[in-house]
Structures are given as structure tokens and as C-alpha cells.
């Protein structure tokens, strides 16, 4: 098989500015393995700082731009900038997301729309913009963060709006995989169980971690690195026959 990957590929990650988040850990993990890195997060200067640190640490090219993934034109503008600053974009990782613990009987229309807007429509905006470039090059890898919450109907921290959005990510992943396969683009989702970040209402206490781990079959909750390693595989050239898949990184929380 002849390689379609350029010598020096770029991965764009949304939601990679949060210091203890999965996105920043994944950006570092991939840069360490030679990927150039584009960062899209809400705050422009935080996105740029993360990128500058990555470039200085790993000697790759990196650039950050601020954009709200809910805003399609802002996403397109940010992507244009990343493409002008960085080598060919081969991979996109959709990590930008928010939690939502509101009980179903109480969730407001505003909260519902906010969560669906960021966690599902935002994924669509960035995915389609990235796919347009990838289709032109005839190669691409797209990975989006779903959640075990989509599969089990919540049960970790977030509730219905989050579960619905993350289930939507799985549907979008499969539909996009079907349409984009002809262009050499694979589209996959990762469904993590609880990962030790600040998204579930702030830093997790040892007691909360212990309770969350008790539902799975391993004696711990996940670390950002567990997800980073899965992303690294799914965006590799060798994962080219895996598409439309949801990879559970959840310590056995959901087996089916
Ligand atoms: P985090 O809060 O540390 O990171 C989320 C990032 O998304 C932040 O950098 C934030 O600024 C960014 N973001 C939020 N809204 C945005 C918007 N509108 N536009 C652009 N960027 C925006 O959370 P995390 O735990 O690292 O989560 C990363 C992804 O993994 C999320 O999609 C989350 O739903 C998913 N996930 C997390 C867990 C977990 O237990 N931590 C489990 C399953 C899935």
C-alpha cells in the first residue's frame, strides 16, 4: 500500500486548552510522536500559549486560535488560519465539550440548547470544515469524543442533555464515516468512562474517584493518557481500515 500521509502531518484538536483536560494531554502525546498540532479552544491567547509550549517542548510546528465551536463561521475562520500556519491537516480530534448535571425534569431549554450546541452541533461544524480539506487531499482521520454516558444514559455526572448530545456524536460519526469513506477519510468516536479531569464539576476527590471506579471492572478511573493513546491509534495511518467505530475507553464500564 502506498502511503497517503505527508512526511510531516498536522492534527487539529478542539478543546485542548484546559490545563488538566484530555485535549491538552492528547496534544502533548501526539506532538511527542511527531504530529504538528493545531489548537482550537474558546480563548485565543490560551490556545496560542498551549501551542507555543508544545512547539518549544517537542520541536514540532504548533499554532493556536480561539473559536467557539458553536459558531460555524468562527470555526471556518480558525481552520483557515491553522491551515495557513501549519503543514497538511491529516487528522481532527473533536474534544471541545461541556458537562451538564441538570436532572431531566428540570433542564431548561437554554441548557438543553447550550449542551447540544457545543457537544453535537460544534462537532458537526469542525468535522465538516476539516473533511472538506481532507477530501481534497484524499486522506483524513476524524475522531470525536462521545461518552459512556451516551451508552448507559448518564450514570456518571452529566444527565439527559449530555447523553443525548454524546449519542448524537455516535450517529454523526457513523453517517460521516459512510459518506466520507470514498474520500479516504475515516471517522470514529471514543466513548470514555470517567476520566480524571475537572469537567465533572471541578477536581475529583479520592472518594468520588473510588465510587466511579466501583462500577467498572478495573480498580481505577481513567487518566487523560488512556484516551490520548486511543486517539493516537485511531489517527494513525495503520488504522485506515477502522471507520464508523466507537472505541470504549472506560475500564469495562459498558460491555456489549
Ligand atoms: P475539560 O473541561 O477539561 O475540557 C473541555 C475543553 O473544551 C476546554 O478546554 C474548554 O475550554 C473547551 N470548550 C468548551 N466549550 C467550548 C466551545 N464552545 N468552543 C471551543 N472549545 C470549548 O474536559 P475534558 O474532561 O478534558 O473533556 C474533553 C472531552 O471528553 C469532552 O468532549 C468531554 O465531554 C469528553 N469526555 C470526558 C469524560 C471525563 O470523564 N472527563 C468522559 C467522557 C467524555
Amino acid at each position: 500500500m502506498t502511503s497517503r500521509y505527508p512526511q510531516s502531518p498536522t492534527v487539529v484538536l478542539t478543546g485542548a486548552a484546559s490545563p488538566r483536560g484530555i485535549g491538552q494531554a492528547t496534544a502533548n502525546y501526539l506532538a511527542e510522536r511527531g504530529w504538528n498540532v493545531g489548537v482550537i479552544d474558546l480563548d485565543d491567547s490560551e490556545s496560542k500559549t498551549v501551542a507555543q509550549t508544545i512547539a518549544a517542548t517537542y520541536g514540532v510546528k504548533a499554532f493556536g486560535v480561539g473559536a467557539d465551536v458553536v459558531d460555524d463561521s468562527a470555526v471556518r475562520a480558525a481552520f483557515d488560519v491553522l491551515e495557513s500556519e501549519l503543514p497538511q491537516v491529516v487528522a481532527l480530534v473533536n474534544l471541545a465539550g461541556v458537562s451538564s448535571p441538570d436532572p431531566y425534569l428540570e433542564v431548561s431549554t437554554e441548557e438543553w440548547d447550550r449542551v447540544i450546541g457545543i457537544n453535537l452541533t460544534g462537532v458537526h461544524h469542525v468535522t465538516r470544515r476539516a473533511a472538506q480539506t481532507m477530501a481534497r487531499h484524499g486522506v483524513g482521520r476524524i475522531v470525536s469524543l462521545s461518552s459512556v454516558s451516551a451508552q448507559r444514559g448518564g450514570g456518571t455526572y452529566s444527565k439527559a442533555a449530555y447523553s443525548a448530545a454524546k449519542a448524537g456524536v455516535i450517529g454523526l460519526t457513523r453517517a460521516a464515516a459512510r459518506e466520507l469513506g470514498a474520500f479516504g477519510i475515516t471517522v470514529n468516536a471514543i466513548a470514555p468512562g470517567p476520566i480524571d479531569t475537572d469537567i465533572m464539576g471541578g477536581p475529583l476527590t479520592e472518594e468520588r474517584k473510588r465510587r466511579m471506579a466501583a462500577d467498572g471492572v478495573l480498580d481505577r478511573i481513567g487518566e487523560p493518557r488512556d484516551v490520548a493513546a486511543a486517539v493516537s491509534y485511531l489517527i494513525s495511518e495503520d488504522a485506515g481500515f477502522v471507520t464508523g467505530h466507537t472505541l470504549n475507553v472506560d475500564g469495562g464500564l459498558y460491555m456489549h
Side-chain angles (χ1 to χ4, degrees):
M1 233 182 342
T2 52
S3 173
R4 296 210 70 135
Y5 270 38
Q7 279 238 309
S8 180
T10 294
V11 56
V12 172
L13 304 100
T14 69
S18 159
R20 281 191 5 96
I22 299 168
Q24 196 170 135
T26 304
N28 279 274
Y29 190 96
L30 298 175
E32 199 178 353
R33 284 154 183 78
W35 284 88
N36 305 297
V37 170
V39 172
I40 297 177
D41 207 304
L42 282 173
D43 188 88
D44 187 66
S45 75
E46 281 176 20
S47 304
K48 287 191 165 48
T49 304
V50 169
Q52 279 156 10
T53 307
I54 285 173
T57 309
Y58 302 105
V60 296
K61 294 203 169 101
F63 202 83
V65 194
D68 182 340
V69 294
V70 174
D71 182 344
D72 193 33
S73 55
V75 165
R76 299 189 73 81
F79 216 91
D80 289 348
V81 172
L82 293 180
E83 286 201 308
S84 68
E85 297 287 339
L86 296 167
Q88 182 184 329
V89 175
V90 170
L92 165 69
V93 192
N94 286 301
L95 296 123
V98 287
S99 60
S100 179
D102 295 9
Y104 185 55
L105 291 180
E106 290 159 31
V107 67
S108 66
T109 303
E110 293 71 32
E111 175 66 358
W112 182 273
D113 290 347
R114 180 183 79 93
V115 176
I116 301 288
I118 297 170
N119 291 359
L120 177 56
T121 312
V123 172
H124 153 60
H125 289 153
V126 193
T127 294
R128 189 168 58 182
R129 174 60 188 83
Q132 284 163 348
T133 286
M134 293 170 185
R136 248 195 352 266
H137 291 292
V139 65
R141 299 277 183 270
I142 297 171
V143 176
S144 302
L145 272 283
S146 179
S147 168
V148 71
S149 178
Q151 302 158 321
R152 300 212 320 167
T156 49
Y157 172 75
S158 288
K159 294 195 168 61
Y162 183 85
S163 297
K166 292 297 185 181
V169 167
I170 293 176
L172 171 62
T173 294
R174 292 175 180 167
R178 190 176 292 280
E179 287 200 35
L180 299 176
F183 300 97
I185 303 170
T186 67
V187 191
N188 293 289
I190 292 176
I195 306 293
D196 187 9
T197 73
D198 298 338
I199 198 175
M200 290 175 280
L204 296 170
T205 61
E206 289 308 314
E207 169 57 17
R208 275 183 82 194
K209 286 189 213 173
R210 200 189 50 72
R211 267 190 281 125
M212 286 173 168
D215 268 355
V217 301
L218 301 176
D219 66 352
R220 66 177 179 91
I221 65 163
E223 298 292 333
R225 188 183 174 89
D226 294 315
V227 178
V231 170
S232 179
Y233 166 65
L234 288 173
I235 69 168
S236 70
E237 186 159 31
D238 285 349
F241 202 55
V242 179
T243 195
H245 183 67
T246 301
L247 179 55
N248 299 342
V249 181
D250 67 359
L253 204 50
Y254 180 76
M255 297 193 207
H256 65 113

